[in-house]
Amino acid sequence: MADVLIHVNELDKKFGSLAALQQVSFELSEGQMLALLGHNGAGKTTLMKTILGLETADSGIVEVFGLPAGRANYRIGYVPENVSFYPALTGYETLQYFARLNGLSRSVAKDTVNRLLTRVHLADAARRPVKHYSKGMKQRLGLAQALLPSSLGKPEVYDPKLLILDEPTVGLDPVATLEFFDMLAELKQQGCGIVICTHVLPGLEQYLDRALILNQGRVVVQGSIAELHEQARLPVKVIPKGLNGSLSQDPVLQPYLQQNGLLSVPAEKALDIASRLLSKDTLNDLQITAPSLPELYQYFMQQTVSAKKVEAIYVH
């Protein structure tokens, strides 16, 4: 059974009269990636800082590796939204500096830095000043810094057991984003737990094990992508090709037909509808698409807004 890396239970955090986090509870196990989602001001950054021990909870439990938050940060890698390095230093010099700052000996730091630069695909640019790095290269250098070990851990194990990433793909092009997530997938396979805060949702679900949506400091919904689908029960899109307009003549299919030729079908009826379409001789292609993560996010946020409107009407 996978070890629990983060345990948060009924966390409350206020700044003056502002309730930044209210009754937040979740867990993250090793080898899992959790996405923290929500609009600006939802409480995502406060939650990450509390996990790191940079903010203290007013009430509730926040444990990391079974210890109070902040007690085992040497086992955590953190990449802030805007990574910033001294521009005149090379990538190698930058990592060497932080490795030595972490307490590694000169020889261990050298070997570790070289391995990490290769791992994040920056070996060819290791001797280039950081001021000449692209946004994507700086993000990869930031990930390499987060992967540096501490002298408190085992020098030969240079991967942390937990990564916390705040908007790590902002400014990255699609290729660089794909490379970044491929690296995260490798770390997951090695047992690393990952918390990622991001507004870039398209394509993210294939890497996620769980998602947690916050709104005004409260958890709107959380669970695996499959569990979010089950809770939302949004219709799936069925896209047939080759039927040449005959869908409108089928009394079973016609109620689900949209103007653009696709079918919007309740999830529980998708297989029956697909079987009916496959029985048609002129069908030459069939695609079934489940709601995407952006669609799920939009649905749950709209449900929250609707619930608050009803509550406001009831109160008044």
Side-chain angles (χ1 to χ4, degrees):
M1 184 175 179
D3 292 338
V4 174
L5 303 182
I6 300 176
H7 172 70
V8 176
N9 186 48
E10 297 185 352
L11 166 62
D12 286 323
K13 177 62 181 178
K14 287 186 176 182
F15 296 101
S17 61
L18 174 65
L21 296 171
Q22 304 176 67
Q23 296 294 289
V24 174
S25 299
F26 75 95
E27 286 189 344
L28 177 74
S29 297
E30 61 182 6
Q32 290 186 336
M33 184 186 295
L34 168 75
L36 289 181
L37 309 178
H39 297 337
N40 291 332
K44 304 185 299 298
T45 298
T46 300
L47 179 55
M48 287 188 291
K49 287 183 176 180
T50 306
I51 293 170
L52 290 167
L54 302 177
E55 296 287 354
T56 304
D58 294 327
S59 63
I61 298 172
V62 183
E63 294 179 341
V64 184
F65 303 111
L67 298 171
R71 297 285 182 85
N73 279 3
Y74 68 92
R75 302 180 68 190
I76 302 175
Y78 173 59
V79 180
E81 179 176 355
N82 297 307
V83 293
S84 180
F85 301 107
Y86 188 67
L89 293 181
T90 66
Y92 176 85
E93 291 169 338
T94 298
L95 289 188
Q96 180 77 4
Y97 169 78
F98 284 109
R100 297 286 285 147
L101 195 64
N102 280 11
L104 302 185
S105 68
R106 192 176 300 277
S107 60
V108 171
K110 179 180 178 180
D111 292 341
T112 301
V113 166
N114 285 328
R115 288 200 302 267
L116 281 175
L117 286 168
T118 299
R119 183 165 198 172
V120 299
H121 310 298
L122 286 177
D124 292 340
R127 306 296 174 178
R128 193 185 309 170
V130 172
K131 64 183 177 182
H132 297 308
Y133 279 20
S134 67
K135 171 71 172 179
M137 294 170 72
K138 290 178 181 177
Q139 289 296 95
R140 281 182 277 158
L141 186 62
L143 179 60
Q145 180 192 349
L147 295 176
L148 282 168
S150 164
S151 60
L152 297 176
K154 297 179 180 180
E156 67 274 13
V157 181
Y158 56 92
D159 293 335
K161 291 294 292 182
L162 176 62
L163 274 179
I164 297 179
L165 313 174
D166 191 358
E167 296 290 351
T169 60
V170 170
L172 299 189
D173 61 50
V175 173
T177 299
L178 182 60
E179 290 177 348
F180 191 85
F181 276 109
D182 284 344
M183 285 187 284
L184 296 185
E186 291 178 10
L187 291 168
K188 273 184 52 181
Q189 291 176 354
Q190 296 166 13
C192 182
I194 301 171
V195 176
I196 180 170
C197 172
T198 181
H199 288 102
V200 182
L201 303 187
L204 181 62
E205 56 259 52
Q206 63 182 307
Y207 300 100
L208 294 181
D209 297 284
R210 302 182 64 78
L212 186 153
I213 301 177
L214 287 170
N215 184 48
Q216 295 183 353
R218 291 186 178 276
V219 176
V220 174
V221 67
Q222 64 172 303
S224 66
I225 299 301
E227 289 169 341
L228 297 189
H229 280 297
E230 180 65 25
Q231 291 186 56
R233 303 191 69 80
L234 293 175
V236 299
K237 296 175 183 177
V238 181
I239 308 173
K241 294 184 179 179
L243 298 182
N244 300 321
S246 62
L247 291 176
S248 60
Q249 307 303 317
D250 188 313
V252 175
L253 301 177
Q254 195 277 332
Y256 308 114
L257 183 62
Q258 307 295 301
Q259 291 183 348
N260 52 10
L262 64 80
L263 301 168
S264 181
V265 181
E268 64 273 14
K269 295 186 177 181
L271 288 179
D272 292 339
I273 296 300
S275 296
R276 189 172 184 87
L277 289 167
L278 289 169
S279 68
K280 296 183 178 296
D281 294 335
T282 58
L283 182 75
N284 56 38
D285 189 28
L286 182 65
Q287 298 177 21
I288 300 177
T289 305
S292 65
L293 183 59
E295 291 172 320
L296 288 169
Y297 175 78
Q298 183 179 19
Y299 167 80
F300 284 115
M301 292 303 292
Q302 287 177 342
Q303 293 295 107
T304 302
V305 171
S306 298
K308 287 187 176 180
K309 286 182 178 178
V310 170
E311 181 181 355
I313 293 173
Y314 178 79
V315 170
H316 289 90

